[in-house]
Amino acid sequence: MNKYHEEDLSRFAFLITGGAGFIGSNLVEYLLKFGAGKVRVLDNLSTGFLSNLEEFKQHPSFEFMEGDIRNLEDCKKACEGIDFVSHQAALGSVPRSINDPITTNDVNVGGFLNMLVAVKDSKVNRMVYAASSSTYGDSKELPKVENRIGKPLSPYAVTKFVNELYADVFAKTYGVETIGLRYFNVFGPKQSPKGAYAAVIPLFIKALKDGIPPLINGDGEQTRDFTYVENAVQANIKAMMVQDSGAVNEVYNVACGEQISINTLWLTIKRLMNKELDPSFGPERPGDVKNSLADIEKAKENLRYVPEVAVKNGLENMLTL
Ligand SMILES: NC(=O)c1ccc[n+]([C@@H]2O[C@H](COP(=O)([O-])OP(=O)(O)OC[C@H]3O[C@@H](n4cnc5c(N)ncnc54)[C@H](O)[C@@H]3O)[C@@H](O)[C@H]2O)c1
């Protein structure tokens, strides 16, 4: 993993909510590798796994706090003595939010608001948070530019947009510093292939390993801007550390800037794994956007973000681990 900061991280204490999950645990790994003073994880283990944190258990700077962001006291306790928060905890997945909008809202909106209040009432300098490309909703414009969004297409997308609205209001009303990172389909090590709401790349890899054809929703010609997790880690580190006040209280696309169809993705993974298997095709999934591609100029300019790992290299890394 490359180094994305100049500061001495040993001076700072970090809180990663959702740190037992996919993106959060990769962020924990970076912070501990580069000598962070403290790395605390707050997670209720609903979709994350302690096994993602197993390798850090004995690290003197690591601390695990089992708790729920729906509980304000848990959020307040987790923010004690913390300098920077990276808020990753949420219930991901569009279909999950369609099946259970209330729980998704409780966690993603109620939990987010609790974290903002806890940050406001503590000495935390800044909260970087996981926003989402789903906020572009029904906008057909490509590439997606931060200040032009459509209407949300799912309850999940509503929650992620509400996060941005609350962050903005907390900046104006209470002077809380935040930066939102609109991730575009992140993939990489520690992403779970299990459960009904697994993401497409771990599902494809598992299907090829097991020799069981995966189901592609729709004709497979829908496109996504897949982002290797190391690029998302880089964006988090740079967003927490950026000094320029003009870069703060903004949202940024975090992506690779490459548009790939699901069919091309399937062929690429198949070739890399040297396997022969054909997928089956099903109906389009409600709530899904047809095409996605990010304009990443704003993050490049303000955060000095550079997507160093291209999709193919990311897939190769993931497959050799
Ligand atoms: N993976 C992607 O492609 C992607 C894309 C856009 C946005 N995001 C956002 O990025 C963040 C991280 O996603 P991920 O892919 O790592 O998902 P993940 O499910 O692997 O991680 C989320 C973590 O949050 C924890 N969590 C959930 N509810 C909680 C609660 N009530 N209290 C405390 N912890 C709770 C889970 O146990 C899990 O460890 C989420 O906010 C997600 O919405 C992810």
Side-chain angles (χ1 to χ4, degrees), residues 12 88 94 110 135 158 164 171 266 289 318:
F12 303 126
Q88 302 298 316
V94 164
T135 294
V158 171
E164 294 185 8
W266 168 253
V289 299
M318 200 175 168

Side-chain angles (χ1 to χ4, degrees), residues 196-229:
Y197 303 123
V200 62
I201 291 181
L203 276 180
F204 279 0
I205 293 174
K206 186 172 186 320
L208 285 160
K209 276 188 185 152
D210 298 346
I212 300 170
L215 177 75
I216 292 183
N217 306 115
D219 63 5
E221 284 307 301
Q222 64 271 38
T223 59
R224 295 290 180 269
D225 191 337
F226 289 100
T227 310
Y228 190 57
V229 67

Side-chain angles (χ1 to χ4, degrees), residues 18-31:
F22 159 49
I23 298 173
S25 59
N26 279 280
L27 192 49
V28 169
E29 180 181 349
Y30 179 96
L31 290 167

